[in-house]
Amino acid sequence: MNTKSIRAKRKSAFIKSSRWIGYATAGAATAVGAAATAEADIHYSGPINQHFDAASSSQIVAYFNLAPGASFGLAQTSFFSGIGAARAGVFASGGTAAFAGFSASGFPYVSKLASGVNINGANFNAAYPVGTLAFAYGYANSQWLAPGTGFIGLRFNTGSGTEYGWARVTMDGSPGNTFTLVDYAYGDVGQSINAGQTAVPEPGSLALLALGGAGLVAWRKRRKMMAA
């Protein structure tokens, strides 16, 4: 499987949420991606390792292409005295998009998913395109305040069907809430994808797993018969 090309746009000036959404939607409309394959596949970015650490009283925003017409964005804002915020958004041109998350007290939060979690089965917040990972010292519902790595769940539909993906993010900790986008991946329409999964298992591997499982069952049955 060929690695898909990734284009990232970095904005150093402070951008309001409404303008950020507008820019991302326009970018998604013109995003260029590789042609879809005949069979469902998973498209992996390869290492990104882009660090988000804005200068004081400024904001860093970057967008990353998914399928043609869809993208996700990440932003880190620095306010004063080491206080900062991290946000994420998912955008689709002429369709719908959402991040795995929830709303609490009228505010949208991004869920921190563990490695191996099935993205297709996650809870998605369709009410808002942009949500908060962490803000300053945090609120009760913030899940991204502590240093460490987690996954953001992505869902989008540009008109051909729903697709799912993930973005791996490593947080530096509150109250600065700077972070690094490590990598990301998304699946074609109809493809299930787990957090951290970068490729679809080859048919041969699946067959070997099935044979191994059948052999284990037969071995257990033989042991029971011998013990009887």
Side-chain angles (χ1 to χ4, degrees):
M1 184 189 73
N2 294 326
T3 300
K4 303 304 172 184
S5 60
I6 307 300
R7 296 185 303 155
K9 302 176 182 178
R10 177 177 172 131
K11 303 290 185 180
S12 294
F14 183 84
I15 302 175
K16 293 182 178 179
S17 296
S18 59
R19 292 182 62 190
W20 182 28
I21 295 169
Y23 291 158
T25 303
T30 57
V32 177
T37 57
E39 298 180 356
D41 201 356
I42 290 177
H43 307 277
Y44 177 52
S45 67
I48 300 295
N49 295 321
Q50 180 168 339
H51 192 50
F52 288 74
D53 186 0
S56 181
S57 301
S58 67
Q59 180 171 253
I60 293 177
V61 181
Y63 308 109
F64 302 86
N65 292 338
L66 299 167
S71 66
F72 72 96
L74 296 171
Q76 195 274 333
T77 305
S78 178
F79 299 108
F80 55 87
S81 301
I83 303 296
R87 293 181 297 165
V90 191
F91 315 97
S93 176
T96 59
F99 56 84
F102 56 97
S103 295
S105 301
F107 294 96
Y109 291 90
V110 178
S111 294
K112 183 178 182 180
L113 305 179
S115 176
V117 168
N118 181 250
I119 303 299
N120 303 52
N123 180 69
F124 284 85
N125 188 352
Y128 301 91
V130 177
T132 298
L133 283 79
F135 183 90
Y137 290 95
Y139 297 103
N141 295 291
S142 299
Q143 298 183 0
W144 295 84
L145 293 170
T149 301
F151 292 84
I152 299 172
L154 313 171
R155 186 183 73 186
F156 58 95
N157 186 337
T158 58
S160 59
T162 302
E163 298 175 72
Y164 296 88
W166 55 262
R168 189 188 332 244
V169 172
T170 298
M171 301 296 294
D172 299 322
S174 64
N177 298 311
T178 58
F179 63 90
T180 299
L181 171 65
V182 179
D183 54 0
Y184 70 92
Y186 69 92
D188 288 333
V189 176
Q191 176 63 52
S192 178
I193 184 171
N194 298 330
Q197 184 179 355
T198 59
V200 180
E202 296 180 2
S205 300
L206 294 175
L208 288 173
L209 286 173
L211 287 173
L216 180 61
V217 171
W219 176 75
R220 287 177 174 171
K221 286 183 177 179
R222 250 191 329 267
R223 283 196 62 185
K224 288 183 178 179
M225 291 177 65
M226 292 175 63

